[in-house]
């Protein structure tokens, strides 16, 4: 069981829109590990679209954390995906 | 942001007629016209904008809830509608479930992100089982308005 964490830099304090969260949610479901996304003191289960929508409109740095057998792979894959969704549009 | 700040009482539909996604959205948008917040001539174009967003990816977020949303130049401020469907609508949800609660949000073109706080407020309502259950069993428009007001009050108190 491993634990892995990554911070995703967000240019211009970009808000989280629904679509990037849906993309994250779909990919998160492919991993075995527990995955959470934290922003502005609010933590959401990345495998629950409803919980992710609670982060809509929040500002500040994004932290992705995984706990489980494939945590490292999951966090690396999902943080790259989020970075692409938020910063390279 | 409070639900009562953007969901128009006149745009709350207690029971949506069985319909396709587009027809359901069109009926909801028509209620903005009836409420005096949208020109009749803009309905088609607003529905097109909502459907374009749906084509990028369904706005169904699970739990039988969808939050279709779009910006549009015909809209003067953030406005919302709510509709309930007992039968459930086919909304291409990721979990495959039909959608029974639709929250529709529109905001003016050129304004960035006012809908995000609205989405977060709606999600807070949905997350609490007792509120979602009440929403699904409200028999009158008035009951839905009262529930939204209660949610707003309670969340405001929680923030302090």
């Amino acid at each position: 069981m491993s634990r892995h964490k990554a911070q995703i830099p967000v240019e211009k304090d970009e808000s989280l829109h629904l679509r990037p969260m849906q993309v994250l949610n779909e990919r998160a479901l492919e991993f075995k590990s527990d995955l959470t996304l934290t922003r502005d003191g609010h933590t959401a289960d990345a495998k629950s679209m409803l919980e992710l929508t609670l982060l809509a409109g929040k500002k500040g740095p994004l932290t992705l954390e995984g706990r489980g057998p494939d945590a490292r792979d999951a966090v690396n894959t999902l943080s790259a995906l989020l970075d692409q969704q938020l910063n390279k549009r | 942001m409070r639900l009562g700040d953007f969901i128009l009482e006149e745009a709350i539909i207690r029971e949506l007629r069985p319909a396709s996604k587009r027809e359901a959205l069109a009926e909801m948008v028509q209620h903005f016209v009836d409420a005096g917040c949208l020109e009749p001539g803009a309905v088609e174009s607003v529905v097109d904008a909502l459907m374009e967003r749906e084509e990028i990816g369904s706005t169904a977020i699970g739990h039988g809830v969808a939050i279709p949303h779009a910006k549009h130049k015909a809209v003067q401020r953030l406005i919302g509608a709510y509709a309930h469907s007992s039968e459930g609508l086919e909304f291409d949800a990721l979990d495959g479930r039909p959608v029974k609660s639709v929250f529709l949000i529109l905001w003016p073109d050129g304004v960035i992100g006012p809908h995000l706080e609205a989405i977060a407020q709606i999600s807070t309502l949905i997350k609490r089982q007792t509120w979602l259950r009440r929403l699904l069993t409200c028999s009158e428009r008035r009951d839905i308005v009262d529930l939204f007001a209660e949610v707003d009050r309670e969340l405001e108190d929680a923030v302090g």
Side-chain angles (χ1 to χ4, degrees), chain A residues 15-16 18 22 25 53-54 56, chain B residues 56 58 69 94 116 123-124:
Chain A
S15 293
L16 275 172
L18 213 55
Q22 282 170 324
N25 179 237
T53 57
L54 293 165
Chain B
I56 297 170
S58 173
H69 55 275
L94 197 59
L116 295 169
S123 304
T124 308

Side-chain angles (χ1 to χ4, degrees), chain B residues 35-103:
Chain B
C37 288
L38 191 70
E39 291 298 319
V43 171
E44 200 64 21
S45 165
V46 168
V47 175
D48 284 346
L50 289 162
M51 287 301 289
E52 273 170 33
R53 172 59 187 83
E54 291 296 324
E55 277 159 26
I56 297 170
S58 173
T59 58
I61 59 165
H63 303 259
V65 178
I67 314 179
H69 55 275
K71 59 184 174 186
H72 199 280
K73 61 178 190 279
V75 178
Q76 305 303 314
R77 67 175 181 98
L78 181 74
I79 51 174
Y82 172 75
H84 175 260
S85 165
S86 301
E87 196 171 298
L89 302 165
E90 176 47 58
F91 231 86
D92 310 305
L94 197 59
D95 63 4
R97 284 171 58 178
V99 160
K100 295 191 169 185
S101 292
V102 184
F103 290 86

Side-chain angles (χ1 to χ4, degrees), chain B:
Chain B
M1 180 178 294
R2 297 158 52 100
L3 297 168
D5 290 340
F6 64 95
I7 298 178
L8 309 176
E9 190 169 341
E10 304 92 321
I12 293 175
I13 305 172
R14 169 61 197 90
E15 187 59 58
L16 206 55
R17 283 169 294 187
S20 66
K21 187 193 277 193
R22 188 182 178 93
E23 288 165 345
L25 295 177
E27 185 173 343
M28 293 180 78
V29 171
Q30 181 59 43
H31 277 67
F32 290 135
V33 177
D34 301 340
C37 288
L38 191 70
E39 291 298 319
V43 171
E44 200 64 21
S45 165
V46 168
V47 175
D48 284 346
L50 289 162
M51 287 301 289
E52 273 170 33
R53 172 59 187 83
E54 291 296 324
E55 277 159 26
I56 297 170
S58 173
T59 58
I61 59 165
H63 303 259
V65 178
I67 314 179
H69 55 275
K71 59 184 174 186
H72 199 280
K73 61 178 190 279
V75 178
Q76 305 303 314
R77 67 175 181 98
L78 181 74
I79 51 174
Y82 172 75
H84 175 260
S85 165
S86 301
E87 196 171 298
L89 302 165
E90 176 47 58
F91 231 86
D92 310 305
L94 197 59
D95 63 4
R97 284 171 58 178
V99 160
K100 295 191 169 185
S101 292
V102 184
F103 290 86
L104 188 157
I105 306 170
L106 298 177
W107 69 99
D109 199 5
V111 184
I112 297 168
H115 62 299
L116 295 169
E117 275 184 56
I119 288 174
Q121 187 79 347
I122 291 165
S123 304
T124 308
L125 182 166
I126 302 306
K127 200 183 171 200
R128 194 177 296 184
Q129 290 282 328
T130 49
W131 281 340
L132 178 59
R133 217 173 296 130
R134 268 179 64 195
L135 183 64
L136 292 173
T137 52
C138 281
S139 55
E140 300 290 335
R141 176 189 274 181
R142 189 69 240 166
D143 298 335
I144 298 172
V145 174
D146 289 346
L147 173 62
F148 290 164
E150 186 184 317
V151 171
D152 285 336
R153 265 197 311 276
E154 197 164 319
L155 294 179
E156 245 173 16
D157 289 347
V159 172

Side-chain angles (χ1 to χ4, degrees), chain A residues 34-88:
Chain A
D34 292 331
L35 296 159
T36 58
L37 188 67
T38 301
R39 191 174 212 190
D40 193 22
H42 297 263
T43 298
D45 177 356
K47 294 185 180 181
S48 160
M49 191 54 211
L50 176 61
E51 287 210 10
L52 286 174
T53 57
L54 293 165
L55 299 180
K58 299 277 183 293
K59 303 277 185 187
L62 274 167
T63 306
L64 188 67
E65 190 169 2
R67 288 178 196 198
D70 52 4
R72 180 176 292 273
D73 185 22
V75 169
N76 288 343
T77 304
L78 298 178
S79 55
L81 186 73
L82 261 181
D83 183 39
Q84 183 190 36
Q85 291 282 319
L86 293 171
N87 298 321
K88 291 171 188 164

